[in-house]
Each structure stands twice: as structure tokens, then as C-alpha cells.
Amino acid sequence: MKKIVIGQVGGPTSVINTTLSGFVKSTKDDHELIYIENGYEGLFYGRFIKGEEKLNKWIIDNERVPGACLGSGRFSLSERSIETCVEQLKSINADTLVVIGGNGTMKALNKIEEKSTEIGFQIQVIGLPKTVDNDLGGTDHAPGFGSAAKYVAQTTLDISRDLRSMKNFEKVRILETMGRNSGWLALASGFLRRYKEDGPHLILIPERKITKEKLIERVKEIIEHYGYAIIVVSEGVELETSGQIEKEVVNGRKILGGISSAIADLLKKELKVMVRAELMGMSQRSSSTFISEVDYKEAKEVGIYGAQCVLEGRSKIMVSLQRTKQLDYNIIKIPVDLKEVVKEGERNVPDYFIDDYEQYYEWLKPFIDINSYHYPSPIARRDNNVKEPF
Amino acid sequence: MKKIVIGQVGGPTSVINTTLSGFVKSTKDDHELIYIENGYEGLFYGRFIKGEEKLNKWIIDNERVPGACLGSGRFSLSERSIETCVEQLKSINADTLVVIGGNGTMKALNKIEEKSTEIGFQIQVIGLPKTVDNDLGGTDHAPGFGSAAKYVAQTTLDISRDLRSMKNFEKVRILETMGRNSGWLALASGFLRRYKEDGPHLILIPERKITKEKLIERVKEIIEHYGYAIIVVSEGVELETSGQIEKEVVNGRKILGGISSAIADLLKKELKVMVRAELMGMSQRSSSTFISEVDYKEAKEVGIYGAQCVLEGRSKIMVSLQRTKQLDYNIIKIPVDLKEVVKEGERNVPDYFIDDYEQYYEWLKPFIDINSYHYPSPIARRDNNVKEPF
């Protein structure tokens, strides 16, 4: 029986509790579970809670509920506070530390492991992946991303049809997605686009810079061609000469957001048309309705596999998801070296996806399980030689 | 066989095409259908399209697609342009004019009817209700509202759980709903709240003014009590001394929006905590995923009943939905005098709903068909004498 300490760190996803639940279900009967409140902040302050049966059951009951059950947070760890975290773990004689998180989480986890080794405190360290941004290295994708991508894809198509019918009144909508310094989510906005009349007509991602002049020119062309424009922009995009838009810095972390408003202001001024900016917002990471079944299944499997790694005595690893084939979607779980994950840093969208969206959408397909009904082509009437009403 | 001219006016809803489809299905075989492009603007310019079989079928295929199939718009009609509209209808020998719309639409429709009578041009005039704001008089509620309310209720609960788990990082989220000068949608945000720990902790609506001082005090209390605050605000809310926040005026219509940001700025300054403002945005009126089945059914019935009114020779009316009982939800369609609808003006939320949310939620229940899973209580652990993790 091991004493396993587990926490959730960083922005929640709609399936972050699914992973926790999978892990808890697989370990609660044979091990002692200790929960950390509010991620690394709780670890630093030693806010541990005993995993009693009722609490464990409550966590399992929350497996489809957004927000992190244990409380999460963004607490940046200095070298000194890494030491404190290790001391806290040592003081309760923890055998294992499991953390569910993204990039920053894995980096800190690696440091905690190093510090433990340094002081001769033996602890098993396992990371479980989670991020809507999908910018985590060492894994094909991370749980949470698929559901967020599904939300972004459907919302963009819906809002596009809405604007299309109002184009005599307003011309441009700028929809801002999450993603930090990567364009995975923003690019997902085009997944359900089957007709070129539908948006998104332009997707801006941090991986490809665009000048203000070029942007204005492209939007002008789009409006001339379709009568309206749906532009999707990733929060981390910098317009050449303007830089990323930071709202504020909290706990040393830049809060991005606002590039859509900056672009809206620019286009209003230059094109003299009505432009609306809108954040896709917190629903991307918390919509229970848009949970992707594949994402849900994998999030759970990551938790269950994490439990298996505990048993097998694996340490200094992160559980990763790997595709076994290109076309038939089949995923296996593999432990990857935590150091390798950290070394890879923020994972951007590869060029071959950016240069050929269709290739990206083929890759994205398993996550977006929307088949409930079809959007008829907006140009069906033109095909039939009937004058198009709008 | 009548020559029926039909159009869609104002902001679309996710079921605006359901009503159109219901009407078209019921009339296409026995009447000549003429579609107006882009609402009153198209009527003014005489942009009519013949309802050929393929076009009719396309409209029916779009019954669950957001955005107005015929194109909509916000075109304000002067006295002179009302005359032009009547001349356009006369020039094509229209027997019937059917318009799907809200408040402003019905007002203009009434004027078109009066002008026709004045010049001795006999035309049958029928309004079909549609608005997410639910501020249309003469009807228990309007199609489109139920789906928007469902979106607002679920989104608020999801975002509340997300923030709850991040409350060590950010304290307040201000979610802004549509509604213009009424609070129907904003109040719907509390429908799924079963535990007082969940948001919304405060709902601001135009029907009840609040001073800046009172607002700051309330939010402070909420944060002290729950550790975080979810505030929902209707776009039309005025903070005493600040007035409604207008983004701009387009075609004589105020574009509301921005009160959430104004409140966020105020709270940041006064409470020195991290506050995020977010618009619920266009998804409220265009989310195909959140279409409420009751709303969908009624939207279609309104179209079918509109067709029946054409046959029965009714004119100067709007189709309304009326409840026959208080508890068992049963709706009948009744034609109401268009003049009465206009006279009622914008319909606010009655005091008895504002003073007792539970009474409002009982009324709202039929529209929000979310039973797929339960959110366990966020305080289950406290009930069980287990220390609460966050």
C-alpha cells in the first residue's frame, strides 16, 4: 500500500475530473489517497486532505463536471518554494506524487523530482496530461483539447450562419480562441466548414505572423467576395508591430486576451464597417455539453493508466497518448520521460498542418463527434439555378 | 390560391428557420410563395424571390440551422419607406404579408397594414413571434427564447464550477447576457443552480436599478462568503449615474454591450481582485446544440398555425402562444390583435418573478430540457463531515 498524493494544476478542462476519477477508482481500494487542495499552492502550504470513502465517491460522481474537483490554481514555484513542496511531501511520508496538468505543471513536477533526488528523498513522480491548448509535448494530444476543439468548431459554424444572414447590418466578427502560444484550437474552428461561403474565412495563429496591412487587405477581399467575414484568432497572436495583448499579469502569468478587440478596432477604422469581437471564452474549457466522447474516454484511460504506472513503480514520467496508425484511430498509452516533455517545451502546430488544413482536420476527426444533423449547403439554391436570396 | 409574401426580420434565433419551415411546409402546395431577402430592407427595395420547389425544400432542410434562411437585418423604416414597402407589395399583387420578428418588426408591420388600408390596398397581414429577449407583448413567450435560456442556464453553471476551482487565482466573473431592456435571459442563468455555493450569486437586470455602492458591497459580501463571485448582468442594465453602455448606433439602433466590462473595471478598482468580463455572446441566439425541444416544437407550430390563419382569412394579427394552465404545461396558439401587441411595447419581467426566482423557474421549466446528468452538490463533502478541499 502506497501513500499517493494527487493534485490538479492550471486551467481546468471539461474532462479534468474524468482523469482524476479514473485514477481514484483504480487506486482507492489498495492505497492511501491524499488530495492536494488548489494545486501547487496547496502543496506549498501543505493543504492535504485524506481520501476518505465518501470523498472518493464524490470525486467519482463528478467525472463529467467541469472545474477541478480538488481546486486548481496558478501558483508559480520559485526554487525556494520547490524545496518547501518537497519538505511537505516528506513530512507526510508520501510514496508517490501524481499531478494532472499541462506544460508549466510538468516543468515544476520535474523540478520537484530533481530536488527530492538531491536531498535523498525517494518519491515516485507521475504526470497526467491535461490542456485545452494542446501545446503539451511528448504526447499526440492531451485530454481536454478534444472537447474544447469540438466547442470551437460548432460555435464558429453556428455564429457564421448567424452573421451570414445579418450581413447587411454587420460585416465582420472576430472570434478569439484560447491556445496561448499555439494555434491548435483556433485552427479547429474550420473543422465543420464544408462550404466556402461559411466561416471561418481567415484563421490567425501565433505560428504565422501577419502584418496589419496584409490583414486589412485579406479581410477586404473576403468581404468583397462573401459579403461578410468570420475571422478566428488565437489569443496569443501578435500583429506585427503590436505584440501580444496582455490583460494583466497575475502570479507571474500573463493573462492573454483582447487581440480580437484590437483587431476589431483596427478593421472598424480602416474598413468603416460594423465589426464585433467576441471571446469564445471559458466555455471552451468548461462546457459539459460539448464533452467529446473520445476525449472523455481517453481522459479516463489516462487516469487508469496512471494508476497502473504507480503499481509498476514507474517514476519521472508523464503518461502520453500515442497513435498507432495514421488512418484508423487507435491510441495506446505510453509513459514518456518527464525530462523529455519539459525539453520539448510548448508544442506548436506543425507546418504540414498549417499548410494543409485538411490534413489537420483528418487528425482532428476522432474528437469531434458531431453527427446529429447536417447543415445544408448555403449555396444549394445557386446550384439549382435559383437566384440566391442573400 | 394566394400570393403570400414572407420575410424574416431582426436578430435571428436558433429556431427562426423552424417557424419559416413550418409555414412553408403548410402553404407551398396550395399557394404561391414569395420570399423577401433581408427583411424590411428587401421589402423596401423589392428584393423578392419566387418560392420554387427546390428553394422551398432547401428552407425545410434548414429547420435546425441558425441564422435566418432568407437573410434578415435591422432596417429602420421611416413613414416614407413604409409607403414604399406598401407600393412594392402592391406592384406584385401580394395577397398576404407574413413577417417573422420581434417588437420592432410588429410595430413596422402594423404601420404597413395601416398604410395599405389608407390607400385602399387590401392585404392580409400576419406576424409570427420570434425573439431571444422574450420582450414581445401579447404572448406568453416567443420562440427562440427557450433555447437561449437553456444556453444561458447551462453555461452559467459550467463557468461557475470552473471559477470555483480557480478562486485562488481569480475572484469574479461577470457574464453578460442579451435581453435589451428586459431581464428574462439574465434571470434564466440561475435555473440550474441547486446549491447556493454555485453561481450566479447575483443577477443584475434592467428592471431593478442598483447603485455602484450597493453593487460593490454585495460583491464583497459574496466573495467573503463563497470565496468567489459569479455575476450575471443583462446587456441593458444601467448602473445608477452611468447609463446604458452603447457600443455604437447602426441604422438608428443602439448596439448594447459592454456593461460587463464596465462593471469589471469598477470591481477591479474597488476590490483589487482579478475580475474577468465575458459576453455570453452570439451563441445565445445561434447555438444549434442548445436548441430546446419544446422551443423547437413551438417554433414550428407557430409557423403551421400562421398558415392556418392565412387560410382562415385572419389579418392584422400576430400568432401568440398562451398557457392554458399554471402547472401542467399546455400551450395553445391564439391570434392576437397586432395593435394590442404594439400597444404593450417592450415586455419586462413581472415583479412576482423578480421577487421570487423560484416562481420564474417554475414558469421556465418546460424550455430547459437538460436531464442528461446531475451535478453533485459542491458541498457533499461538508455534509459528510469531511473537510472541504476548496
Side-chain angles (χ1 to χ4, degrees):
Chain A
M1 193 178 90
K2 286 180 172 180
K3 185 178 242 183
I4 306 170
V5 177
I6 180 163
Q8 295 169 305
V9 179
T13 74
S14 50
V15 294
I16 189 173
N17 294 325
T18 317
T19 297
L20 181 65
S21 161
F23 184 86
V24 169
K25 250 189 209 166
S26 313
T27 48
K28 68 180 178 60
D29 295 331
D30 304 316
H31 301 279
E32 186 185 348
L33 286 172
I34 304 284
Y35 299 111
I36 309 169
E37 283 182 60
N38 285 107
Y40 286 138
E41 181 175 341
L43 182 56
F44 178 82
Y45 290 110
R47 293 202 293 260
F48 299 119
I49 305 139
K50 228 175 119 46
E52 293 180 8
E53 190 48 33
K54 278 171 181 171
L55 178 51
N56 297 340
K57 186 189 170 301
W58 179 83
I59 285 168
I60 292 164
D61 286 347
N62 270 281
E63 62 167 32
R64 275 179 173 270
V65 173
C69 264
L70 305 177
S72 188
R74 303 193 186 282
F75 185 74
S76 72
L77 292 172
S78 64
E79 288 305 316
R80 177 69 199 97
S81 39
I82 294 278
E83 263 181 67
T84 310
C85 288
V86 173
E87 283 156 18
Q88 293 286 7
L89 290 164
K90 203 178 165 190
S91 75
I92 60 166
N93 296 315
D95 297 301
T96 305
L97 172 64
V98 177
V99 178
I100 304 173
N103 262 321
T105 307
M106 297 308 156
K107 216 168 146 181
L109 190 60
N110 187 52
K111 283 184 185 165
I112 290 171
E113 194 284 321
E114 287 174 347
K115 182 57 72 185
S116 303
T117 305
E118 198 185 307
I119 67 163
F121 168 56
Q122 276 220 337
I123 185 165
Q124 181 184 28
V125 166
I126 293 170
L128 303 181
K130 163 242 66 161
T131 170
V132 294
D133 300 331
N134 207 36
D135 58 354
L136 182 60
T139 184
D140 177 78
H141 59 279
F145 167 68
S147 300
K150 178 177 169 180
Y151 179 86
V152 166
Q154 182 69 64
T155 301
T156 305
L157 182 59
D158 285 347
I159 289 182
S160 175
R161 285 292 171 101
D162 181 273
L163 177 58
R164 183 175 158 81
S165 75
M166 292 297 278
K167 66 187 178 187
N168 283 23
F169 178 70
E170 65 181 277
K171 290 291 177 200
V172 185
R173 281 190 197 149
I174 323 277
L175 306 176
E176 182 171 327
T177 68
M178 291 180 173
R180 296 201 66 80
N181 300 309
S182 72
W184 296 97
L185 265 185
L187 288 176
S189 66
F191 179 83
L192 292 172
R193 183 185 190 225
R194 290 187 300 147
Y195 310 104
K196 62 186 180 3
E197 281 73 8
D198 283 324
H201 305 103
L202 180 62
I203 304 176
L204 305 177
I205 58 174
E207 286 86 345
R208 293 281 161 97
K209 293 246 189 303
I210 186 168
T211 63
K212 287 183 182 175
E213 294 66 38
K214 183 79 192 156
L215 173 65
I216 293 162
E217 191 195 311
R218 283 288 293 122
V219 176
K220 216 166 160 179
E221 280 169 13
I222 293 163
I223 295 175
E224 268 160 27
H225 203 81
Y226 302 114
Y228 74 112
I230 294 280
I231 318 293
V232 172
V233 58
S234 180
E235 62 181 357
V237 160
E238 304 180 35
L239 280 188
E240 217 182 55
T241 72
S242 65
Q244 281 185 335
I245 308 283
E246 287 172 32
K247 278 189 170 157
E248 58 198 305
V249 178
V250 181
N251 295 354
R253 183 185 171 89
K254 283 198 272 182
I255 308 295
L256 296 177
I259 181 68
S260 54
S261 298
I263 293 177
D265 290 344
L266 176 72
L267 295 177
K268 264 183 222 171
K269 197 174 136 247
E270 295 291 331
L271 303 179
K272 312 260 184 283
V273 293
M274 183 176 162
V275 183
R276 220 191 275 262
E278 213 169 272
L279 303 178
M280 294 254 188
M282 290 297 146
S283 289
Q284 292 169 93
R285 74 185 204 196
S286 64
S287 173
S288 56
T289 306
F290 278 92
I291 289 175
S292 144
E293 286 311 312
V294 164
D295 192 25
Y296 167 78
K297 182 173 157 281
E298 291 177 352
K300 184 170 262 181
E301 285 172 1
V302 158
I304 295 168
Y305 189 77
Q308 193 182 316
C309 289
V310 171
L311 282 192
E312 293 171 355
R314 295 181 187 277
S315 186
K316 311 175 197 179
I317 57 116
M318 181 185 86
V319 170
S320 79
L321 298 168
Q322 306 294 345
R323 295 193 197 217
T324 53
K325 284 179 202 167
Q326 277 298 92
L327 287 178
D328 295 300
Y329 187 67
N330 186 34
I331 285 289
I332 52 169
K333 277 82 59 186
I334 291 177
V336 288
D337 192 340
L338 197 54
K339 280 188 184 22
E340 290 303 314
V341 174
V342 173
K343 215 202 296 178
E344 197 176 329
E346 284 183 327
R347 191 174 63 133
N348 286 329
V349 183
D351 284 343
Y352 53 87
F353 282 162
I354 302 176
D355 294 332
D356 179 6
Y357 287 2
E358 287 315 312
Q359 219 181 313
Y360 176 53
Y361 296 148
E362 197 57 44
W363 179 92
L364 194 60
K365 217 177 195 172
F367 312 122
I368 306 188
D369 49 353
I370 300 178
N371 299 306
S372 52
Y373 66 94
H374 291 295
Y375 267 62
S377 156
I379 52 160
R381 294 156 299 172
R382 191 187 285 160
D383 293 341
N384 298 323
N385 282 322
V386 182
K387 191 193 156 209
E388 189 171 319
F390 59 106
Chain B
M1 194 180 90
K2 286 179 173 180
K3 184 179 244 181
I4 306 170
V5 177
I6 180 161
Q8 294 170 307
V9 179
T13 74
S14 50
V15 294
I16 188 173
N17 294 325
T18 318
T19 297
L20 181 65
S21 161
F23 184 85
V24 168
K25 250 190 206 164
S26 314
T27 48
K28 69 180 177 59
D29 295 331
D30 305 317
H31 300 280
E32 185 185 347
L33 287 173
I34 305 284
Y35 299 112
I36 309 170
E37 280 183 63
N38 285 106
Y40 286 138
E41 181 176 340
L43 182 56
F44 178 81
Y45 289 112
R47 292 202 293 261
F48 299 119
I49 304 140
K50 226 173 127 41
E52 292 179 11
E53 192 48 33
K54 280 170 181 169
L55 177 51
N56 296 340
K57 184 187 171 304
W58 179 82
I59 286 169
I60 293 164
D61 286 347
N62 271 281
E63 63 169 30
R64 275 178 173 270
V65 173
C69 265
L70 306 176
S72 188
R74 303 194 186 280
F75 185 74
S76 74
L77 292 170
S78 64
E79 288 304 317
R80 178 68 198 95
S81 42
I82 294 280
E83 262 181 68
T84 308
C85 289
V86 174
E87 282 156 19
Q88 292 286 8
L89 290 164
K90 203 178 164 191
S91 74
I92 58 165
N93 297 313
D95 296 304
T96 305
L97 172 64
V98 178
V99 178
I100 304 172
N103 264 323
T105 308
M106 297 306 158
K107 215 166 148 185
L109 190 61
N110 187 50
K111 282 185 186 164
I112 290 170
E113 193 284 319
E114 285 174 349
K115 182 55 73 182
S116 304
T117 305
E118 198 186 308
I119 66 161
F121 168 56
Q122 276 218 337
I123 185 164
Q124 181 185 26
V125 167
I126 293 169
L128 303 181
K130 165 241 65 161
T131 170
V132 293
D133 300 330
N134 208 35
D135 59 352
L136 182 61
T139 186
D140 178 78
H141 59 279
F145 167 69
S147 300
K150 178 176 168 181
Y151 179 85
V152 166
Q154 182 68 64
T155 302
T156 305
L157 182 58
D158 285 346
I159 289 181
S160 175
R161 285 292 172 102
D162 180 272
L163 178 59
R164 182 175 157 82
S165 75
M166 293 296 280
K167 66 189 179 188
N168 283 24
F169 178 69
E170 66 180 276
K171 288 291 177 204
V172 186
R173 283 191 196 149
I174 322 277
L175 306 176
E176 181 170 328
T177 69
M178 292 180 174
R180 294 201 67 81
N181 300 307
S182 73
W184 297 96
L185 266 185
L187 288 175
S189 66
F191 180 83
L192 292 172
R193 184 185 189 223
R194 289 187 301 148
Y195 310 103
K196 61 186 181 3
E197 281 73 7
D198 284 324
H201 305 103
L202 180 62
I203 305 176
L204 305 176
I205 57 173
E207 286 87 346
R208 292 282 162 96
K209 293 246 188 305
I210 186 166
T211 63
K212 287 182 182 177
E213 294 67 36
K214 184 78 192 155
L215 173 65
I216 292 162
E217 191 195 312
R218 284 287 295 119
V219 176
K220 217 168 160 176
E221 279 168 15
I222 293 163
I223 295 175
E224 269 160 26
H225 203 80
Y226 302 113
Y228 73 113
I230 294 279
I231 318 293
V232 172
V233 59
S234 180
E235 61 179 359
V237 159
E238 304 179 35
L239 282 186
E240 217 182 56
T241 72
S242 64
Q244 280 184 337
I245 308 282
E246 287 171 33
K247 278 193 171 154
E248 57 198 306
V249 177
V250 182
N251 295 354
R253 182 185 172 91
K254 283 198 272 184
I255 309 295
L256 296 176
I259 181 68
S260 53
S261 296
I263 293 176
D265 290 343
L266 176 71
L267 294 176
K268 264 183 225 171
K269 196 173 139 250
E270 296 292 329
L271 304 179
K272 312 262 183 283
V273 292
M274 183 177 161
V275 184
R276 220 191 273 262
E278 213 170 272
L279 304 178
M280 294 253 189
M282 290 298 146
S283 288
Q284 293 170 92
R285 73 184 203 197
S286 65
S287 173
S288 55
T289 306
F290 278 91
I291 289 176
S292 144
E293 287 310 312
V294 163
D295 192 23
Y296 167 78
K297 183 172 157 283
E298 291 177 352
K300 184 170 260 183
E301 285 173 0
V302 159
I304 295 168
Y305 190 77
Q308 192 183 318
C309 289
V310 171
L311 282 192
E312 292 171 354
R314 294 179 190 278
S315 187
K316 309 175 199 182
I317 58 116
M318 181 186 85
V319 170
S320 79
L321 299 168
Q322 307 292 345
R323 295 193 197 218
T324 53
K325 285 179 200 167
Q326 278 298 92
L327 286 180
D328 294 300
Y329 187 66
N330 186 32
I331 286 290
I332 52 168
K333 277 81 60 186
I334 291 176
V336 289
D337 193 339
L338 197 55
K339 281 189 182 23
E340 290 304 314
V341 174
V342 173
K343 215 202 299 180
E344 199 178 327
E346 285 183 326
R347 191 175 64 132
N348 285 328
V349 184
D351 284 344
Y352 53 87
F353 281 162
I354 302 176
D355 294 332
D356 179 6
Y357 287 4
E358 288 315 312
Q359 218 180 312
Y360 175 53
Y361 296 147
E362 198 56 45
W363 179 91
L364 194 59
K365 216 177 195 171
F367 310 124
I368 306 187
D369 48 352
I370 300 178
N371 300 305
S372 51
Y373 67 94
H374 293 295
Y375 267 61
S377 156
I379 52 161
R381 295 156 297 173
R382 192 186 287 162
D383 293 342
N384 298 324
N385 280 324
V386 180
K387 190 191 157 212
E388 188 170 320
F390 61 105

